[in-house]
Amino acid sequence: MQKSEFHPSEIPNKPGVYVYRDWSGKVIYVGKASNLRRRMSSYFQPSRLTRADAKLRSLINSIEDWSYEVVRTESEALILESRLIKDYAPYYNILMRDDKRYLLLKIDWSETFPTLKLARLRKNDGAQYFGPFPNGGALRMTLEFLLAHFGLRACRDSSPDEETRKRCLKRIVKDCCAPCIGAVSPEEYRQRVERAVSVLEGNIGELTAILKQRMGEAALEEKFEKAAHFRDIMTNLESVFGEKNRIFARPELPGSTPGNEAVRALADALGLEKLPSRIIGFDISNILGKLAVASLVAFKDGKPDKDNYRRFRIRTVHQSDDFAMMHEVLTRHFGRLLEEKRPLPDLVMVDGGKGQLSSAIDALVEIGCPPLPVIGLAKRNEEIYLPGRSEPVVLDRHDPALRMLQALRDEAHRFAITYHRELRNKQIELSKLDEIPGIGAARKRELLRSFGSLRSLKKATAPEIAEKVPGIGDELAGKIYDALHKSTIPDRKEI
């Protein structure tokens, strides 16, 4: 959503990850929070722009859109944040990072006797990695237990020499099955490693049962310290490798599309007879009716189909009336589809509630468009409105169908905003010509006719302007060049 649409009351008081994007839709910052509402609200307080350090002020000024993802625990937020930062390398995360990296577990299957090791960096070395794990202390204690329980080697050298083997305390206390001296076969040792890996993948039930039995036996023998030790190991196992923490293997940005799963889920949620493989979404962007534009974005099988994106200048509506603008855009677009006998989409989504949906339906009926599913997605509570139904459809915020619709809506908004900004900047540049003494309407038309566009004119040097446009001498050409290259909006300083 746009920064101007941020309302703290709409953000949940739950742990999660938030994502900030700039005007072009590029991810510039990913953050985690134990309380999304409190954390995200802190960025949009007016005092931040005057009291925060230069780096934070620069980030806040660069935010154009935001989104968030609710997770179950703070640990999940830490994991998702870490993965997203690694995948998308946001500029301000790199700029403001504290170089903290969460621990990983690594196993190199190419070693003679592979084992589990701690690592900080995920390298492209052919090894298998697990994690990251935010609770480093619990991970270290659990790793020590797993190595001993499965009898895996803990030495650094995968092929220890005779002297190292003699001094191996792990072998003496029987915490290592000693594969290096042939106490177990390589096949048996590898089976032990595979059982340990199964625990890393979340299959902790069998091991937890063993620990519970040992804890009970220790308690009956009144060995309470030992019982507490087994209890702590169980707690660590659950917090580090439990099913609830095996998440985000392939993290997606909040709002990104889950693909065909979302298409099927949406068809079920809306009771559609046909899978909505081809969906298009519309959005309007204007400031008090000025430079009004609209966007059309297309999704195919739940993912962006950028070849079929379209953008529109509003032609007939000259006041701030989003409903009339939506009516115009759908009339134009579907009128063309029908005239050219091109296929219609499986589903149409408009950004808004009942009002926008009614405008869309009226437009389609007016041009004689065959019946097709049309919905409206209202931002405030993410409600889905359908024709003929007074009550909206409300889906769980984690439902893949809703996530896809949110992604479609956000992409349409980004595409419309980008076009609106492009036109506004062009208008600003054109107004610079009007401010130059000696440049009237006739000379402005001649400049644009000679160079074809403002962009080409801006690339020209002063001598090229004087040479190409009749009646413009060197002095006036110099003024034109200076006016076009003088920014009216100061550039943000790089930190």
Side-chain angles (χ1 to χ4, degrees):
M1 293 187 184
Q2 223 178 345
K3 182 165 66 173
S4 61
E5 297 169 352
F6 180 83
H7 301 290
S9 61
E10 297 178 1
I11 309 300
N13 289 311
K14 294 181 178 181
V17 170
Y18 54 95
V19 173
Y20 292 145
R21 298 175 177 86
D22 64 11
W23 65 268
S24 67
K26 182 179 181 181
V27 176
I28 57 174
Y29 189 73
V30 176
K32 65 182 180 301
S34 57
N35 185 313
L36 281 168
R37 179 183 299 175
R38 184 168 61 242
R39 182 62 177 143
M40 292 180 69
S41 296
S42 69
Y43 286 91
F44 302 109
Q45 296 171 356
S47 60
R48 282 282 187 166
L49 290 174
T50 56
R51 299 179 185 175
D53 61 72
K55 294 177 182 178
L56 183 54
R57 290 200 308 273
S58 180
L59 166 61
I60 294 171
N61 284 325
S62 300
I63 297 171
E64 185 69 30
D65 291 288
W66 56 268
S67 56
Y68 64 85
E69 177 73 14
V70 175
V71 296
R72 289 169 291 185
T73 66
E74 192 172 356
S75 294
E76 290 185 3
L78 289 166
I79 294 169
L80 179 56
E81 179 209 35
S82 178
R83 292 290 181 85
L84 290 175
I85 289 172
K86 285 177 174 62
D87 282 356
Y88 297 97
Y91 173 72
Y92 284 96
N93 286 97
I94 296 171
L95 185 66
M96 302 192 293
R97 69 183 178 186
D98 57 6
D99 288 329
K100 180 180 179 180
R101 294 180 182 274
Y102 302 122
L103 284 170
L104 305 162
L105 282 181
K106 169 184 177 179
I107 181 167
D108 186 352
W109 292 99
S110 67
E111 293 180 342
T112 307
F113 300 111
T115 191
L116 302 175
K117 302 176 184 177
L118 293 172
R120 287 281 184 186
L121 295 173
R122 191 184 300 267
K123 300 178 181 178
N124 188 21
D125 55 2
Q128 185 177 5
Y129 289 86
F130 299 87
F133 302 100
N135 193 334
L139 179 65
R140 286 186 171 93
M141 291 176 63
T142 306
L143 174 61
E144 184 177 351
F145 166 75
L146 290 177
L147 292 176
H149 179 77
F150 291 107
L152 306 184
R153 68 175 183 84
C155 50
R156 294 184 179 181
D157 192 347
S158 61
S159 300
D161 57 24
E162 187 173 348
E163 188 64 25
T164 303
R165 292 198 293 268
K166 286 181 181 179
R167 299 178 183 178
C168 180
L169 293 177
K170 295 288 184 181
R171 177 183 61 83
I172 295 171
V173 299
K174 298 185 178 179
D175 279 349
C176 178
C177 65
C180 57
I181 61 172
V184 296
S185 68
E187 292 75 18
E188 182 183 343
Y189 182 80
R190 186 165 287 263
Q191 289 174 3
R192 290 171 178 257
V193 177
E194 289 172 351
R195 286 163 56 203
V197 168
S198 178
V199 173
L200 268 58
E201 292 173 341
N203 301 313
I204 63 173
E206 181 181 345
L207 198 53
T208 300
I210 293 172
L211 287 167
K212 281 183 179 179
Q213 182 180 347
R214 291 182 183 177
M215 183 176 67
E217 291 171 353
L220 287 174
E221 296 173 6
E222 297 186 355
K223 296 178 180 179
F224 300 115
E225 262 187 60
K226 192 173 183 180
H229 174 67
F230 290 132
R231 180 203 61 205
D232 292 343
I233 292 173
M234 280 196 301
T235 301
N236 288 339
L237 266 176
E238 179 61 34
S239 66
V240 176
F241 301 119
E243 181 72 24
K244 66 180 181 181
N245 287 316
R246 296 196 300 115
I247 59 171
F248 310 129
R250 292 183 179 177
E252 296 176 332
L253 284 178
S256 60
T257 59
N260 282 317
E261 176 192 358
V263 174
R264 290 190 292 271
L266 184 60
D268 292 340
L270 303 183
L272 301 178
E273 296 179 0
K274 178 183 177 183
L275 283 178
S277 299
R278 294 176 59 249
I279 308 174
I280 61 173
F282 293 88
D283 187 36
I284 304 293
S285 178
N286 72 97
I287 300 175
L288 299 177
K290 296 181 179 179
L291 294 177
V293 301
S295 66
L296 179 162
V297 299
F299 272 26
K300 186 175 181 180
D301 297 328
K303 300 193 175 179
D305 179 16
K306 295 191 176 182
D307 289 340
N308 286 305
Y309 282 19
R310 299 291 182 268
R311 55 191 194 179
F312 307 83
R313 283 290 302 269
I314 302 299
R315 298 172 182 168
T316 62
V317 184
H318 305 294
Q319 68 277 0
S320 185
D321 186 342
D322 285 2
F323 297 158
M325 293 177 186
M326 186 65 75
H327 185 281
E328 177 191 327
V329 171
L330 266 75
T331 301
R332 286 166 52 188
H333 178 69
F334 281 93
R336 178 176 295 178
L337 291 184
L338 295 175
E339 182 182 347
E340 298 175 356
K341 298 182 179 179
R342 293 165 59 188
L344 299 176
D346 301 318
L347 178 67
V348 178
M349 188 199 78
V350 295
D351 179 21
K354 291 182 179 179
Q356 288 287 31
L357 179 59
S358 296
S359 296
I361 296 295
D362 289 345
L364 296 176
V365 171
E366 185 177 299
I367 62 174
C369 183
L372 74 162
V374 185
I375 62 172
L377 180 63
K379 290 179 182 176
R380 183 166 294 275
N381 296 311
E382 305 293 26
E383 298 166 326
I384 304 171
Y385 286 91
L386 287 80
R389 291 180 56 171
S390 58
E391 295 300 319
V393 174
V394 180
L395 301 179
D396 184 90
R397 286 186 177 267
H398 296 284
D399 192 300
L402 179 60
R403 288 174 61 117
M404 179 177 64
L405 291 180
Q406 289 172 323
L408 180 70
R409 187 263 318 281
D410 292 346
E411 179 69 349
H413 182 69
R414 180 197 66 79
F415 197 49
I417 284 287
T418 301
Y419 185 34
H420 186 270
R421 183 176 290 106
E422 180 183 317
L423 294 177
R424 191 170 71 244
N425 290 341
K426 186 180 293 184
Q427 188 178 65
I428 291 171
E429 294 292 344
L430 281 170
S431 68
K432 292 179 181 179
L433 292 176
D434 295 326
E435 297 169 2
I436 304 170
I439 298 293
R443 275 185 170 165
K444 186 164 73 171
R445 283 196 301 270
E446 188 62 30
L447 282 165
L448 295 175
R449 187 194 66 78
S450 299
F451 285 93
S453 67
L454 189 65
R455 179 179 295 180
S456 297
L457 175 59
K458 194 170 182 179
K459 291 179 180 179
T461 63
E464 288 172 343
I465 295 173
E467 180 182 351
K468 196 166 184 177
V469 184
I472 292 184
D474 293 340
E475 183 179 353
L476 184 54
K479 290 180 180 179
I480 294 170
Y481 180 86
D482 291 340
L484 291 177
H485 292 81
K486 179 181 179 182
S487 177
T488 57
I489 304 173
D491 292 333
R492 292 181 186 134
K493 294 181 179 179
E494 294 293 332
I495 304 299

